[in-house]
Amino acid sequence: MGCEPIRRASDPALVEDAARAIRLDALSDRHFRTLTAFIESEVGIRLPPSKRTMVEGRLRRRVKALGLHDLDDYARFVFDRGGLASESVQLIDCMTTNKTDFFREPEHFHMLAQKIMPQLLAQRRSRTDRLNVWSAASSIGAEAYTIAMVLADLAKVESFHFRILGTDICSAALEQAKRAIYPEEMLAPTPPAMRERYVMRSRDPARREARIVPELRRLTRFERLNLMDSSYPADDDMDVIFCRNVLIYFSAATQHAVVANLCRHLRPGGYLLLGHSESMAGAKQPGLRQIASTVYRREGGRA
């Protein structure tokens, strides 16, 4: 009796077999179109054919988690067998990109401290007025906590109160934001003095993790919010709104609608900060005056 030769994991034939299996596990054209149309209609994110490999790679985790056969079986479960109601949150989480960093695009935070906050503090009706800041598309919280560090440093000198709202469509990202635990290397862009004041290192050096201090966690809350909704369940007295590096995933019409909705929650004289590739979304919005390349002020406050 003959026997099959034992093949090592590095055997080119074995590698080719695995690659062929992955290629066979692919979405049909119909299911890809259905899925990407759903994602764009629900959360505004456009997924062109060039993103197909990425989409399939991310969905394989859900195929495994649900014990389904392959990607088309997953699509049939979601869109043909009534699984969308139970799976929509997980599907959206898979398709959202949560790229974020502490002190990302740092010039915005310099402007917040040196120009925006002095203007807002000067136009307060009372020293007891609270300043409200919204980090839209906050992902895992790095932007919101960066804002909190900047404002907490200023508040030690200027004596004001503030609260920060962070929102995102991705439930998993929001849970991490609420925990406020990050790899130490992710906090590297934070100025050393701020790391000393606002970041707690793990007691176990081997874990190489750090957590934002309770003082800032108490001043920052996180909620799930879909920027594609026609209205937002957020306060309408925001002094500053950060909405950076998310509009690039939307069509021009959706960008305009989102910025218009955000502005409804911005106080007269308040500020909107967009990402560096998104300046046109603010430039076309009535009632906003551009004061820097991606920074806008809502008309109506004192200059």
Side-chain angles (χ1 to χ4, degrees), residues 116-137:
I116 293 174
M117 286 306 301
Q119 288 278 2
L120 292 174
L121 292 173
Q123 68 186 33
R124 282 187 300 176
R125 295 184 302 273
S126 164
R127 292 185 66 84
T128 61
D129 279 359
R130 186 182 73 189
L131 294 171
N132 297 313
V133 182
W134 181 5
S135 169

Side-chain angles (χ1 to χ4, degrees), residues 130-244:
R130 186 182 73 189
L131 294 171
N132 297 313
V133 182
W134 181 5
S135 169
S138 62
S139 184
I140 60 174
E143 179 180 84
Y145 289 125
T146 298
I147 296 166
M149 292 180 196
V150 171
L151 296 188
D153 262 13
L154 281 173
K156 296 180 190 301
V157 178
E158 298 291 342
S159 185
F160 62 89
H161 303 286
F162 67 90
R163 292 281 293 180
I164 297 169
L165 169 66
T167 64
D168 202 272
I169 188 64
C170 181
S171 301
L174 291 170
E175 287 305 310
Q176 185 173 348
K178 292 173 184 177
R179 290 193 298 271
I181 298 173
Y182 302 96
E184 284 188 348
E185 60 268 22
M186 188 174 173
L187 287 147
T190 306
M194 286 187 172
R195 282 205 306 271
E196 187 67 26
R197 284 191 290 272
Y198 302 124
V199 178
M200 305 180 298
R201 288 183 173 83
S202 172
R203 294 177 181 176
D204 179 3
R207 294 182 64 178
R208 299 190 60 78
E209 289 180 334
R211 193 177 195 189
I212 304 301
V213 296
E215 170 193 351
L216 297 191
R217 299 203 307 270
R218 285 192 295 268
L219 294 170
T220 309
R221 81 179 195 274
F222 293 94
E223 303 289 345
R224 189 171 187 268
L225 184 143
N226 186 350
L227 291 173
M228 288 289 288
D229 289 345
S230 58
S231 63
Y232 302 152
D235 295 337
D236 59 0
D237 60 349
M238 293 294 168
D239 295 284
V240 184
I241 299 176
F242 283 72
C243 186
R244 307 187 304 164

Side-chain angles (χ1 to χ4, degrees), residues 29-83:
D29 290 345
R30 178 177 73 87
H31 283 143
F32 180 76
R33 288 193 299 269
T34 301
L35 187 147
T36 55
F38 167 77
I39 292 298
E40 183 166 7
S41 67
E42 287 296 305
V43 296
I45 297 174
R46 293 172 296 166
L47 295 167
S50 60
K51 300 288 186 181
R52 187 166 184 155
T53 299
M54 180 205 76
V55 168
E56 292 173 342
R58 290 183 179 184
L59 288 181
R60 287 189 182 101
R61 292 173 292 182
R62 295 305 302 157
V63 172
K64 183 176 180 180
L66 294 169
L68 298 171
H69 294 102
D70 54 30
L71 289 169
D72 269 345
D73 193 25
Y74 175 82
R76 285 190 292 270
F77 162 71
V78 173
F79 298 110
D80 302 336
R81 301 202 299 267

